[in-house]
Amino acid sequence: MFQSKLKTIILSISVTILAASLIFFPQESLEASRRGLNMWWKIVFPSLLPFFIVSELLIGFGVVRFIGVLLEPLMRPLFRVPGAGGFVWAMGLASGFPAGAKFTARLREEGQLTRIEAERLVSFTNSSNPLFIFGAVAVGFFHNAKLGIILALAHYLGNLSVGIVMRFYGRKSSKGTMEKHKKVTIRGAFSALHQTRLKDNRPIGQLLGDAVNSSIQTLLMVGGFIIIFSVINKILYLLHITAALGKVVEFLFSSLAFPEMLSIPFISGIFEITLGSQLTSSVQDATLLQQAMITSFILGFSGLSVQAQVASILAQTDIRFQPFFFARILQGIFASVFTLLFWNSVYLRLSDQERPTNALPVGFFGEGSWAYDTYQKMLEMGPLITIFSLTIYIGILFIRLKKARI
């Protein structure tokens, strides 16, 4: 009872301070809100919407169940999750946050995952997409395309490592969703696809409308979190709370021989990955390796903004948030360690003017490449795509409300 009352008091005081700060710092809050809004409608919404809609259709048509049956022999022994987790993992890697959480929650609602399996799956299927790592962080912030390779390698290896570690989570729980020794065949996979499609039993038009409706609702929620955490991050800086927390981090960094100037970017990255990565890239006193390690941790931890988005999605199911939070700390640590381990063998090797012919073609990711050009075009076309999609969403809602009244 005491803990509950204490929690109520702390939350009430925090919200009151936030409200008062919005009144005392209106201009700064407006600028932070605009920054979050620009990030959402230029990048997040147009980049995630197609993945969300197509994924909803794939689940409804039974394609995910088909993939799940085929991938069961791989995903079950490696991560102790059903084969459908392979689809979630792939979509999470391609589309970025918080796609893994949304698809995991969707499969949990479909009954294709147990709660423990869902908690294992969501822990390693949320990651930054390659376009953000290469286009925004490496090229946009650091102006160094080669750095994107080491950041992506460390990030996705850290992701894989988290999945392997989390396979031991919930070992004493009940059995999984698939019987042991079940033979996997193409015919069985097609049968599962057909049965899932018949079970859904929605017309194609309704299925498409539901996919658009669900996807846009999720992205509207994501946009709200991005904006509010952008404002919170700015308020914490104005109230010197970020600096106070930075003093604590400075002690840790000094023991690791990291410059104290990295503490503020690190704290900012704990709240929001884009701002934290940008501030880290601007620290002149740190070496590039130190900047890369801090950025890798920020990308792996994902920021409280992304974690709040995931928590909101998981709250609609019985999936617990605590394993996901623990996994984010693990991935941040793994990513930083992998950055250190592969720095000499990957980044410095690529940086050599006389690099070997089997090295990765950095021009594929540099300025003028597809990744950089796609990122820039998204900044230009993103708002139009967002407005067009929201118009369709409003139209669908209007038609459905009109039919409901009739």
Side-chain angles (χ1 to χ4, degrees), residues 87-162:
F87 165 82
V88 178
W89 192 20
M91 296 301 289
L93 292 176
S95 56
F97 309 111
K102 177 175 172 57
F103 304 144
T104 300
R106 186 76 168 81
L107 293 182
R108 175 60 181 149
E109 292 171 355
E110 292 282 319
Q112 298 189 40
L113 300 169
T114 65
R115 186 174 75 166
I116 294 296
E117 288 171 344
E119 290 168 355
R120 290 186 194 129
L121 183 62
V122 77
S123 68
F124 70 95
T125 54
N126 284 269
S127 58
S128 296
N129 64 61
L131 186 60
F132 176 75
I133 294 177
F134 285 101
V137 178
V139 177
F141 298 155
F142 285 92
H143 308 289
N144 186 344
K146 292 185 284 291
L147 187 63
I149 296 176
I150 188 68
L151 290 177
L153 179 64
H155 187 70
Y156 297 126
L157 282 178
N159 198 259
L160 174 65
S161 301
V162 168

Side-chain angles (χ1 to χ4, degrees), residues 45 216 384-397:
F45 190 99
I216 293 182
L384 295 178
I385 297 173
T386 302
I387 293 173
F388 178 73
S389 302
L390 290 176
T391 303
I392 294 177
Y393 172 67
I394 293 172
I396 293 175
L397 285 181

Side-chain angles (χ1 to χ4, degrees), residues 30-49:
L30 178 60
E31 292 175 358
S33 181
R34 284 177 177 172
R35 177 184 171 277
L37 179 61
N38 283 333
M39 185 191 308
W40 175 72
W41 83 322
K42 286 183 178 180
I43 301 175
V44 176
F45 190 99
S47 63
L48 287 181
L49 182 63

Side-chain angles (χ1 to χ4, degrees), residues 338-353:
F338 282 130
T339 300
L340 178 62
L341 292 178
F342 290 108
W343 186 257
N344 291 334
S345 59
V346 176
Y347 179 77
L348 294 183
R349 190 179 181 187
L350 289 175
S351 299
D352 276 343
Q353 293 181 353

Side-chain angles (χ1 to χ4, degrees), residues 18 21 229-245 267 271 304:
L18 177 61
S21 300
F229 269 87
S230 179
V231 174
I232 290 175
N233 207 353
K234 186 66 175 181
I235 294 298
L236 291 176
Y237 175 79
L238 294 172
L239 295 177
H240 305 289
I241 296 177
T242 302
L245 294 175
I267 294 297
F271 286 91
L304 297 178

